[in-house]
Amino acid sequence: MTAEQKTLAFVVYPGLTPLDLVGPLQVLSALAQMDRSYRTVVVGATKDTVGTDTPLRVAPSHTFDEVPSPFAVLVPGGTAPTLHAMSDERLLAWLRAAAGGAELVTSVCTGSLILGAAGLLEGRQATTHWMFRDLLTGLGATPVARRWVEDGPVITAAGVSAGIDLALHLVERLAGRQVATNIQFAIEYDPQPPQGGLDWANQPYGDLKPLREHTLREALAANPELLGRLLAHT
């Protein structure tokens, strides 16, 4: 690292969703390759390999202690393990300290719940995966149904694939539209899903709500106070 480099720190914790991490990391690593004033790192409590919610395992490049003052932070999401991480005081303490000096504090999917647990969403607009969006109210945030939501230095993205959109937005903000467009071409990001666009008027919330409630109660059984906060406004 050179003195003038700005560090973009991607957080790792056990059980995260890989695409939440790797999608934005790919985009912002491309920025770092094009503009040496930026560097990307992956931070965790240790450098040990951790599991994800797929068979893939990942290992941080740096520990929290090695990256105390990043320029930007990105927190990926997941399911039950992410809810567990909301009580990880080492992770929360690092986020609070890092956010104090960071220019950008960002999240993908339910990673915003971790930001909220760290007290970083109080009084802000935010988003997350649509199944969990209403829980943001219990963390002091105002839920917004958008692909990403920018409120001051805090930018939160919706579920999983929205992390790529968030990262391209960050590149445009940091380096301009042409660089962002060049990276979009480089990763050939031009979504054309076989089923077409999602019909948000018919999202299957009712079908999936029992699964969500089971996940919440099982993951937070040891933290009834936090569970109560999350469910108080739902």
Side-chain angles (χ1 to χ4, degrees):
M1 175 183 176
T2 60
E4 66 276 8
Q5 278 185 310
K6 298 174 181 177
T7 300
L8 312 175
F10 293 75
V11 175
V12 161
Y13 57 87
L16 62 86
T17 295
L19 185 55
D20 287 8
L21 171 73
V22 176
L25 179 60
Q26 192 71 53
V27 171
L28 289 164
S29 291
L31 170 64
Q33 291 168 5
M34 294 178 177
D35 184 343
R36 294 298 181 179
S37 66
Y38 295 98
R39 68 164 186 155
T40 54
V41 300
V42 179
V43 298
T46 72
K47 293 182 183 178
D48 294 339
T49 301
V50 300
T52 68
D53 62 7
T54 75
L56 178 69
R57 299 180 64 82
V58 297
S61 61
H62 295 72
T63 66
F64 291 147
D65 292 341
E66 291 173 329
V67 188
S69 304
F71 173 81
V73 175
L74 184 142
V75 182
T79 53
T82 300
L83 300 176
H84 285 300
M86 293 175 70
S87 302
D88 183 341
E89 285 303 326
R90 187 171 183 182
L91 169 58
L92 300 183
W94 181 82
L95 284 172
R96 293 185 193 105
E103 292 289 326
L104 295 166
V105 178
T106 72
S107 64
V108 179
C109 195
T110 52
S112 60
L113 300 181
I114 297 178
L115 293 183
L120 301 177
L121 296 185
E122 190 71 37
R124 299 186 186 277
Q125 294 188 335
T127 194
T128 189
H129 190 285
W130 63 270
M131 278 182 60
F132 295 88
R133 193 185 302 129
D134 59 335
L135 302 181
L136 290 168
T137 303
L139 298 168
T142 300
V144 179
R146 290 205 299 269
R147 192 71 167 163
W148 73 83
V149 174
E150 190 165 353
D151 191 329
V154 178
I155 310 178
T156 53
V160 194
S161 63
I164 298 175
D165 295 9
L166 167 68
L168 288 168
H169 170 66
L170 293 178
V171 172
E172 182 172 2
R173 176 169 167 162
L174 296 173
R177 186 176 183 85
Q178 187 58 57
V179 174
T181 299
N182 290 347
I183 292 175
Q184 186 174 346
F185 269 104
I187 65 172
E188 203 167 330
Y189 183 56
D190 186 19
Q192 299 176 41
Q195 294 77 27
L198 295 176
D199 179 4
W200 288 105
N202 290 304
Q203 62 191 44
Y205 185 79
D207 295 341
L208 297 174
K209 188 173 182 179
L211 174 61
R212 186 191 84 147
E213 299 302 308
H214 173 75
T215 300
L216 282 166
R217 296 185 186 281
E218 182 177 39
L220 297 177
N223 195 338
E225 181 181 354
L226 178 56
L227 178 62
R229 284 177 59 196
L230 293 176
L231 295 180
H233 303 281
T234 61

